[in-house]
Amino acid sequence: MNAEDAWGPRWVNCAHPLSHEFMRVACEKESLVVLAADLPHVSGILQLIEDVGDCVCALKTHVDMVDGFSMEDWSKVVEAARSKGMLLFEDRKFADIGRVAQTQMGGMYDIRSWADLVTSHSVSGPDVVDGIAAAWDDVERVGGVLLLAQMSSSGNLLGESYTDATLDIGRASPHVLGYIGNGSSGVELKELRAKVGEGQMIWTPGVNLSAKEGVMGQRYGNPAEAVLAGSDAIIVGTGIHKSADPASAAREYASSSWEALLER
Ligand code: BMP
């Protein structure tokens, strides 16, 4: 399906090139699924990519949870994700001053060299985004930042005024592709979408087709409802990798999110 027909005003109004790349891949795969590959070994991540990569648009990683990390092993993950046409998204949640964030994009994980997208908190102010962008400049790559405007964890401190201030930072920066929203609450998501408008993306963790509640305060909502409320990407971890049959679970998440997009 033609991306503009599927995405409508989002396709027309989003400015960041990687948002179009995501929307294009989503149309190709008929899926809005971002896989949260929260596994401690490269071998497990590689197997997961092999099993579900055809219906996943981006691979979200926490590179610092990988046991015995080596860049040589990690490059296999990067290569496998690219060969399946997935974007690479490191959920680093930067939160420091700009200069330090720039340095943290390098280091042993060298996030700047392989990640297309990263998350950042806005708590330290706008310079964190400039630091991240400067790191991509250093290696002559283009990347996009998703700012945490809401969270799915219960009791989080990202209240309305924090969200509003985060959107002010995000609107002012060409590097901010969009926001993390709370996928477990259609009400919160609709409010967020009304404030964000059409020009930036909202990606949502906290979605699951069966579980009502996750462990340690994670909250879940229905992925199709999240898309209908304004989410552009559903971030799914345990719903896929803990499933007895990850491939068919991923297909279910893909079709429910895609159908919701077309309905929207
Ligand atoms: P799961 O579907 O297994 O609950 O995983 C959710 C993923 O989304 C995790 O990788 C977590 O780090 C991330 N996440 C979240 O759950 N809530 C947020 O508010 C922000 C996140 O990045």
Side-chain angles (χ1 to χ4, degrees):
M1 185 176 192
N2 175 298
E4 186 168 352
D5 291 343
W7 288 95
R10 200 83 82 247
W11 179 265
V12 177
N13 291 291
C14 278
H16 199 292
L18 287 173
S19 56
H20 292 108
E21 178 62 12
F22 174 80
M23 289 187 268
R24 196 189 55 70
V25 175
C27 287
E28 212 175 275
K29 299 191 176 183
E30 304 199 334
S31 165
L32 308 191
V33 176
V34 173
L35 173 68
D38 296 335
L39 299 176
H41 300 291
V42 161
S43 56
I45 300 175
L46 288 173
Q47 186 61 55
L48 201 53
I49 293 172
E50 181 58 33
D51 292 344
V52 309
D54 290 337
C55 52
V56 167
C57 301
L59 180 75
K60 186 180 86 66
T61 53
H62 284 294
V63 70
D64 56 359
M65 70 163 65
V66 172
D67 274 346
F69 177 88
S70 80
M71 207 60 214
E72 197 186 330
D73 276 355
W74 193 250
S75 63
K76 294 180 197 151
V77 170
V78 172
E79 213 172 286
R82 297 251 181 256
S83 77
K84 293 275 187 188
M86 301 157 94
L87 289 164
L88 284 146
F89 172 25
E90 168 58 24
D91 191 5
R92 172 63 179 74
K93 297 187 179 73
F94 291 96
D96 214 308
I97 60 170
R99 175 182 59 77
V100 170
Q102 180 178 4
T103 316
Q104 289 172 318
M105 282 282 281
M108 71 180 280
Y109 302 120
D110 205 23
I111 295 167
R112 62 189 180 170
S113 72
W114 52 267
D116 303 304
L117 301 162
V118 299
T119 46
S120 177
H121 284 294
S122 54
V123 66
S124 58
D127 294 336
V128 65
V129 176
D130 294 337
I132 295 166
W136 274 315
D137 278 350
D138 291 340
V139 292
E140 298 178 357
R141 293 187 70 240
V142 175
V145 178
L146 287 152
L147 290 177
L148 283 105
Q150 297 175 339
M151 290 194 75
S152 63
S153 45
S154 54
N156 73 73
L157 306 181
L158 282 63
E160 210 181 327
S161 64
Y162 182 95
T163 299
D164 291 349
T166 300
L167 301 193
D168 287 342
I169 292 174
R171 281 189 205 100
S173 171
H175 310 295
V176 174
L177 163 139
Y179 307 94
I180 296 298
N182 175 12
S184 74
S185 164
V187 174
E188 280 183 34
L189 271 179
K190 278 186 192 148
E191 282 170 11
L192 184 62
R193 176 50 73 191
K195 289 175 181 174
V196 169
E198 299 286 351
Q200 286 174 309
M201 308 210 95
I202 298 174
W203 289 23
T204 53
V207 291
N208 197 297
L209 279 166
S210 49
K212 294 273 162 284
E213 223 174 86
V215 293
M216 294 193 183
Q218 174 71 305
R219 298 174 296 183
Y220 287 125
N222 178 276
E225 278 166 27
V227 174
L228 291 172
S231 166
D232 301 312
I234 54 161
I235 298 174
V236 188
T238 45
I240 292 176
H241 67 73
K242 279 251 170 18
S243 158
D245 183 352
S248 66
R251 281 194 294 274
E252 260 185 80
Y253 281 93
S255 63
S256 72
S257 58
W258 178 249
E259 279 158 28
L261 176 72
L262 299 186
E263 190 182 329
R264 186 170 94 188

